[in-house]
Amino acid sequence: MANQPIFILPEGTERYSKKDALRMNITAAKVLSGIVRTTLGPKGMDKMLVNSLGDVTVTNDGATIMREMEINQPAARMLVETAKKQEDIVGDGTTSVVVIAGELLSKAEELLDDGIATSIVVKGFRNATAKAIELLNGIAINADDEETLKKVAVTAMSGKGSDYAKEHLADLVVKAALRIKEDGKSDIDNINIQRVSGDSVEDSFLAEGIVIDKAPVSNNMPKEVKDAKIAIMKYPIELKDINTDTKIDITSPDQFESFLLQEEQMIKDLVQKVIDSGANVLFCQKGIDDMAEHYLKKAGIMAYKRVKKSDMERIEKATGAKFVSDIDDLSPEKLGVAGRVYLDKVFDHELTFIEDCENPKASSIVLRGSTRYVTEQIARALDDALGVVAATIEEGKVLIGGGACEIDLVKQLREYGESVSGREQLAILKYAEALEVIPRTLIENAGLDTINLIADLKAAHEDSPFLGINVFTGEVEDMKDSGVIEPLRVKIQALQSAGEASEMILRIDDMIAARNALESTGPDESGNDASGMPPMPPAPGMGGMPPMM
């Protein structure tokens, strides 16, 4: 009995432990990093993503690429979640997070192969991240003017399909963000990007107020209302559906006519409540009955039905209207005000404009483009630009881009690492080395000489911390003068997220999957098993690569 094996896991369970598990996760992270790495920077390449329905997405936006890919490997999925969180918090830097995390894990693998304990590597990386953030705060410069914000927006949009119109688009982004600025913050959720295919990107414009992709419920309703009194409701102006168990006995034509008249009167009463409130424009999140449409038209009210919740919220913030969920609560005090509400046709698209609001806290950008693919790609670039501009408005500080701040960090972190004793010093020095991946990738994607330019950049930083790589000319230039500027918050969040993700992956020394349980439940529509855990890939060898998709 002493030599009898003891089983604590069900038969068929697959387990990878220690070096096998760690190497598998590091390899997966490196593969994911390699996929998105070629998209980094103004000269980054695009990815074509085709889903199961055949829909095509062409983009070099890291967040979109990782959102559209079906990734099964658990560690890679953790990195994807980290990148999504980066997008949610600061609106940009998703590619940088994955690239830095992949490089940190690659350097960690070298340390582990040299016999350095995982705990030492994790501690060194954690201290290096804290020091890097401290150094970034030290080299940040103030950004409190519109021109700097515009440079931040241009940098964010570079290489994302909008280069030929990025100056014009950056101007729209900055004006939209400043228009809704309140208490030192800009909530970009209140900025709507309305895409319209047709004409060129240069024809894009910032609306004077809110734009919604809707037309009135009837063509015979007013196409324009001045001095608009706006009601926004969630209450339907239609008869409620009769319960299937309800029984109505009608034994004569008179009774049937009476029933119809009663229904009509109920609709009239609902419309009359809208009229009595003084509203001449109605936005309803629910439906509007055909009969109600008739009476609203007779009253000269411009009415919209099935308006999206996000549009309702922007109308509320722009006009000051109060959201009404019960029509009995509708009163003159709940109405919003706008100087003008009108329907206009942009190319072949009907849009409603709400303009001349007294103190609007919402805004809209009408984005033009030759095709749907163009407008989709540029809309993603605008989302990134809005995110970084909002972060800069709130933080008030920026960093110099073009690889300048990373090279400066490399230099200062090496000095810091040499002041630390013990094996932790090795981890800090490897962390510093890993940060070179950003300028190195920018140079590689531009097709330039990586070795010589990195050497030139390091030598130049002995004189100025603002020197970076101009990927268009292949020269080392002052990025501050060139206007290549990035928000401090995006860089700090990227380092924090990459550091935490790499630490989390390094601390995993066991991967366990109940193979029989997975096979018995079977895959769901997304390809995962019913328990929500993806199938465990086979353990790779020294040069192995686990499948990711």
Side-chain angles (χ1 to χ4, degrees), residues 11-25:
E11 185 179 353
T13 298
E14 292 190 10
R15 178 186 179 191
Y16 306 104
S17 60
K18 310 238 180 245
K19 288 185 178 180
D20 285 341
L22 187 57
R23 201 174 294 277
M24 180 187 296
N25 289 335

Side-chain angles (χ1 to χ4, degrees), residues 121-166:
V121 177
V122 168
K123 183 180 178 183
F125 280 7
R126 190 183 301 161
N127 290 342
T129 301
K131 184 64 177 179
I133 291 171
E134 178 188 325
L135 293 172
L136 284 179
N137 281 299
I139 62 176
I141 57 179
N142 292 328
D144 52 4
D145 61 286
E146 189 172 333
E147 189 60 33
T148 303
L149 292 176
K150 189 173 177 181
K151 290 177 181 177
V152 168
V154 168
T155 303
M157 288 189 290
S158 295
K160 295 183 179 178
S162 58
D163 287 354
Y164 56 95
K166 61 185 179 183

Side-chain angles (χ1 to χ4, degrees), residues 11-12 18 24 28 40 46 57 73 109 127 151 185 282 305 311 341 357 380 402 413 431 445 489 533:
E11 185 179 353
K18 310 238 180 245
M24 180 187 296
L40 187 69
D46 292 345
T57 301
Q73 210 283 338
E109 189 175 27
N127 290 342
K151 290 177 181 177
K185 296 182 180 180
L282 171 66
K305 66 180 178 180
D311 284 335
V341 177
C357 303
R380 287 189 285 267
L413 280 175
Y431 184 100
N445 290 348
R489 176 178 291 185
M533 185 172 180

Side-chain angles (χ1 to χ4, degrees), residues 84-277:
K84 287 179 180 177
K85 187 58 65 176
Q86 171 85 10
E87 176 80 3
D88 293 340
I89 294 173
V90 292
D92 197 16
T94 51
T95 304
S96 297
V97 167
V98 176
V99 170
I100 293 172
E103 192 69 11
L104 286 175
L105 289 169
S106 179
K107 299 301 179 186
E109 189 175 27
E110 295 175 12
L111 292 170
L112 295 173
D113 287 343
D114 289 339
I116 309 296
T118 303
S119 58
I120 299 297
V121 177
V122 168
K123 183 180 178 183
F125 280 7
R126 190 183 301 161
N127 290 342
T129 301
K131 184 64 177 179
I133 291 171
E134 178 188 325
L135 293 172
L136 284 179
N137 281 299
I139 62 176
I141 57 179
N142 292 328
D144 52 4
D145 61 286
E146 189 172 333
E147 189 60 33
T148 303
L149 292 176
K150 189 173 177 181
K151 290 177 181 177
V152 168
V154 168
T155 303
M157 288 189 290
S158 295
K160 295 183 179 178
S162 58
D163 287 354
Y164 56 95
K166 61 185 179 183
E167 293 287 340
H168 175 58
L169 294 174
D171 191 49
L172 300 182
V173 165
V174 172
K175 287 180 178 177
L178 291 176
R179 181 180 292 178
I180 64 168
K181 180 180 177 182
E182 188 176 18
D183 299 328
K185 296 182 180 180
S186 285
D187 186 356
I188 59 172
D189 289 335
N190 295 328
I191 300 175
N192 178 39
I193 299 174
Q194 186 61 56
R195 304 195 300 264
V196 179
S197 298
D199 290 336
S200 66
V201 179
E202 286 88 346
D203 294 317
S204 303
F205 61 92
L206 176 65
E208 292 299 321
I210 297 296
V211 179
I212 65 170
D213 186 13
K214 279 281 183 182
V217 293
S218 171
N219 290 330
N220 296 321
M221 283 183 172
K223 297 294 188 293
E224 179 180 6
V225 174
K226 295 184 177 178
D227 296 325
K229 302 294 186 293
I230 300 171
I232 54 176
M233 296 196 316
K234 193 175 182 180
Y235 194 89
I237 308 182
E238 57 187 1
L239 296 175
K240 294 182 179 179
D241 292 335
I242 298 175
N243 192 295
T244 54
D245 295 331
T246 302
K247 183 178 180 182
I248 302 174
D249 289 326
I250 297 176
T251 58
S252 69
D254 291 341
Q255 286 180 329
F256 184 68
E257 185 178 356
S258 176
F259 177 74
L260 294 178
L261 289 173
Q262 189 174 359
E263 280 194 334
E264 184 177 350
Q265 188 58 47
M266 292 170 67
I267 292 293
K268 276 185 178 180
D269 291 342
L270 291 175
V271 173
Q272 191 60 46
K273 289 176 182 179
V274 176
I275 296 171
D276 291 343
S277 71

Side-chain angles (χ1 to χ4, degrees), residues 292-344:
E293 175 189 317
H294 168 72
Y295 290 117
L296 288 167
K297 179 176 61 180
K298 281 185 66 177
I301 296 175
M302 195 178 187
Y304 297 79
K305 66 180 178 180
R306 311 271 181 218
V307 181
K308 291 186 293 186
K309 182 181 178 182
S310 57
D311 284 335
M312 298 286 273
E313 290 171 349
R314 293 186 187 98
I315 294 169
E316 182 179 20
K317 292 189 177 181
T319 66
K322 304 299 181 185
F323 207 97
V324 176
S325 56
D326 189 336
I327 197 166
D328 291 329
D329 294 334
L330 187 61
S331 63
E333 295 77 24
K334 300 288 181 69
L335 302 182
V337 178
R340 185 181 176 215
V341 177
Y342 64 97
L343 183 70
D344 195 10

